[in-house]
Amino acid sequence: MTEQDPIQQALAYMRYQGAKSFTELVALMERTGGDWSAVFENLDEASASFQPEGEWCAKEVLNHVLVSNRGINQQIAEMAGVESPRESRKISAMGEVSYEYAGMAVEQLREAIRQVFAETAALLLLNQPPRPRDAL
């Protein structure tokens, strides 16, 4: 079996996701928020804060996902011509995190990740093209 070029794999995945309907994308965002939340469901503070040498702890990973998705939500809001549910600064480097999330407990982070993906779903619906009216 030949291994596919990682760039081609990424492009194929983006085309696959890009071909989905808005309804499918909304469902995907809702599932994704739930999945992220479930990963942290039984994780205590000590485990979530454990940081192997040279690696991020689980809370830092979640922090980064939150920062990235808040930025994505801001861009979706701009495309929809609506106010962003929550202003966020533009990401200027890989690995950015937010001090706002750094001090949060795991349960607060779980709620924040559910919320950010719910915001994404709502914003996607605002960008959904209108359905053509049925011909009479």
Side-chain angles (χ1 to χ4, degrees):
M1 180 172 140
T2 4
E3 216 173 293
Q4 191 177 9
D5 173 24
I7 300 295
Q8 292 306 312
Q9 278 183 305
L11 288 171
Y13 181 74
M14 286 188 279
R15 285 185 194 105
Y16 169 74
Q17 295 297 354
K20 290 184 176 182
S21 70
F22 276 88
T23 303
E24 291 171 310
L25 289 173
V26 167
L28 175 64
M29 292 302 102
E30 290 169 348
R31 269 194 324 271
T32 301
D35 290 347
W36 269 104
S37 179
V39 167
F40 286 80
E41 189 170 357
N42 296 314
L43 202 60
D44 61 34
E45 288 296 323
S47 299
S49 299
F50 172 72
Q51 188 168 16
E53 189 176 327
E55 300 292 332
W56 285 6
C57 69
K59 286 176 73 171
E60 288 171 318
V61 171
L62 193 52
N63 184 328
H64 175 69
V65 171
L66 282 162
V67 169
S68 298
N69 279 56
R70 292 264 185 231
I72 290 168
N73 284 355
Q74 191 165 333
Q75 291 175 343
I76 296 171
E78 288 170 8
M79 288 189 300
V82 299
E83 189 174 321
S84 180
R86 183 176 176 152
E87 291 299 314
S88 62
R89 61 188 168 85
K90 300 266 187 209
I91 302 294
S92 60
M94 291 293 292
E96 284 197 27
V97 295
S98 165
Y99 293 110
E100 172 190 359
Y101 300 123
M104 286 185 174
V106 173
E107 189 55 39
Q108 292 172 304
L109 288 169
R110 286 184 64 227
E111 179 54 36
I113 200 73
R114 281 190 299 263
Q115 184 183 46
V116 77
F117 280 101
E119 288 170 2
T120 306
L123 288 166
L124 284 171
L125 289 173
L126 292 174
N127 278 289
Q128 185 172 0
R131 291 185 192 179
R133 293 205 166 139
D134 295 334
L136 298 177

